[in-house]
Amino acid sequence: MPIRVLIADDHPLMLDGIAQALAAQGGIEVVGLARNGLDAVAQFARQRPDISLIDLQMPEHDGFEAIRAIRALRHDARIIVLTTFGGDARIQAALDAGAAAYLLKDTLGGELADAIRRVHEGAQVIGTQARQDLQGHFAADRLSPRELEVLQLAAGGHANRSIGELLGISEATVKSHMSTILVKLAASDRAHAVTVAARRGYINL
């Protein structure tokens, strides 16, 4: 029996290109195409595919929300993230949400088909670039939820006092969080921290 695959991507040309590339591979059948996260979850519920290919940046549920919703429908759902963006924090968040694989969109058709087969057999697959992004970063260096809130507000142009008022904490506490953020990200200042955090996938600009 062919491996039944659902593809979710908000770019029509990319969606069609992936579908055509997989159709050229033996033993794989594309059973659904979704253009947003909400539709991906709905189609998963109807089609119950063997594998779901999910982009991370989509409207009406991003990829992370879609992964969690699909896993809530079926705890053993096998999901492959196929995205343009790397970054260790983003990759780890996708794996923590329940993805079994993380690949970048420059993955060739044959490599993607091979990853689909391996995930279908129960393996975890991390693409070469994604693996390199994960190397050298450790759990102890991850930003906490509060630190992420502080940094996201800083990225939006808020000063320490404004961040404190918005989060209900003191300005001194904000400064303390920012100091820890700079150390964890090996950043020289706030602007550098925002740049590093965006590259690694901690925040969206």
Side-chain angles (χ1 to χ4, degrees):
M1 295 291 291
I3 300 172
R4 302 171 69 255
V5 176
L6 165 68
I7 308 170
D9 195 296
D10 64 332
H11 295 285
L13 291 178
M14 180 62 68
L15 194 64
D16 292 341
I18 296 170
Q20 290 176 19
L22 292 180
Q25 306 294 322
I28 295 175
E29 178 187 2
V30 177
V31 296
L33 301 175
R35 294 189 178 180
N36 60 65
L38 198 60
D39 189 27
V41 177
Q43 290 208 39
F44 179 88
R46 290 197 303 270
Q47 300 290 350
R48 296 289 171 161
D50 301 308
I51 300 289
S52 300
L53 294 182
I54 305 291
D55 188 17
L56 290 181
Q57 294 199 348
M58 296 185 293
E60 300 183 63
H61 280 2
D62 63 17
F64 298 103
E65 294 173 304
I67 291 169
R68 285 189 286 268
I70 287 171
R71 295 274 293 183
L73 290 173
R74 191 169 118 191
H75 75 278
D76 61 345
R78 294 187 169 100
I79 299 169
I80 296 175
V81 168
L82 186 63
T83 182
T84 304
F85 304 98
D88 65 291
R90 187 180 289 107
I91 297 165
Q92 192 60 58
L95 297 177
D96 290 345
Y102 197 105
L103 303 171
L104 298 186
K105 286 183 177 177
D106 59 2
T107 303
L108 299 177
E111 295 176 24
L112 178 58
D114 181 61
I116 288 172
R117 295 185 187 101
R118 290 172 62 194
V119 170
H120 186 248
E121 292 170 356
Q124 183 184 71
V125 179
I126 309 297
T128 302
Q129 183 58 56
R131 218 168 30 242
Q132 291 174 357
D133 287 348
L134 286 173
Q135 290 175 352
H137 297 293
F138 306 97
D141 295 327
R142 289 188 199 172
L143 298 184
S144 69
R146 177 62 85 187
E147 288 162 355
L148 286 173
E149 290 177 328
V150 168
L151 190 57
Q152 188 71 65
L153 289 171
H158 292 277
N160 288 345
R161 178 174 295 181
S162 174
I163 294 172
E165 291 173 352
L166 289 168
L167 297 181
I169 57 179
S170 70
E171 185 176 355
T173 300
V174 174
K175 290 180 179 178
S176 177
H177 283 313
M178 190 58 67
S179 295
T180 303
I181 289 167
L182 294 181
V183 171
K184 286 184 175 181
L185 297 182
S188 56
D189 54 36
R190 290 162 66 103
H192 188 205
V194 169
T195 300
V196 173
R199 174 172 52 80
R200 291 179 57 182
Y202 274 116
I203 61 174
N204 294 317
L205 297 180

